[in-house]
Amino acid sequence: MANNERTFIAIKPDGVQRGLVGEIIKRFEQRGFRLVAMKMVQASEDLVKQHYIDLKDMPFYGGLCSFIGSLLMPLNTILQIWEGLNIVKNGRLMLGETNPADSKPGSIRGDLCITLGRNIIHGSDSLDSAKKEIGLWFKPEEMVEYKSCQHGFLYE
């Protein structure tokens, strides 16, 4: 499998407000994944609804969209694209279960979260959703192409 698979990771407003951005980035970097793009946004509720459209029938959908895309109190979200071998699968394992109570210690949610409604991070759940989410939030020119000096120490 190619080691240039990409995934979309969003540190939600609760993670930003709690000062966990550096810790989350550190975990991905230490694992050996490569950061390709990152930006901070104050997302509109309409864009957040488009992002989470596959959850529209879930009871928490409205609350999730209004929390992240708040117009009354704009909150910052950190958007990232990470690259590496099996990054979608491994990224999801690093995040832990959607409900932090079900997450294992050592995972981001298992170590840093308490409740489902404040689970601090989103990660693509498949290659197809990663492609869709990256296209929704990033323009091609916002991604940086480079070869990390660590590449030979990470991949055979």
Side-chain angles (χ1 to χ4, degrees), residues 90-146:
N90 286 310
R92 294 291 291 186
L93 289 171
M94 290 172 63
L95 267 59
E97 300 298 321
T98 302
N99 185 346
D102 298 331
S103 294
K104 294 180 180 174
S107 69
I108 291 168
R109 291 179 179 140
D111 290 350
L112 304 174
C113 303
I114 298 172
T115 65
L116 176 63
R118 298 293 181 263
N119 67 5
I120 73 170
I121 194 164
H122 166 84
S124 301
D125 61 3
S126 69
L127 286 170
D128 287 340
S129 66
K131 186 175 181 178
K132 180 189 111 196
E133 292 168 351
I134 289 168
L136 181 65
W137 294 100
F138 286 92
K139 297 174 186 166
E141 61 269 18
E142 293 177 302
M143 295 175 231
V144 178
E145 297 294 333
Y146 66 99

Side-chain angles (χ1 to χ4, degrees), residues 7-8 11 20 24 27 59 63 73 83 88 120:
T7 195
F8 174 82
I11 304 173
L20 298 174
I24 292 167
R27 288 179 183 223
M73 184 179 80
E83 185 176 272
V88 172
I120 73 170

Side-chain angles (χ1 to χ4, degrees), residues 13-41:
D14 44 328
V16 175
Q17 290 294 317
R18 290 181 53 207
L20 298 174
V21 174
E23 173 65 24
I24 292 167
I25 291 171
K26 175 183 165 187
R27 288 179 183 223
F28 278 86
E29 286 182 329
Q30 286 182 331
R31 183 72 185 264
F33 296 122
R34 188 169 70 99
L35 185 61
V36 177
M38 181 169 68
K39 63 183 172 181
M40 179 182 283
V41 300

Side-chain angles (χ1 to χ4, degrees), residues 55 58-65 116:
L55 301 175
M58 302 301 280
F60 58 82
Y61 175 73
L64 172 65
C65 293
L116 176 63

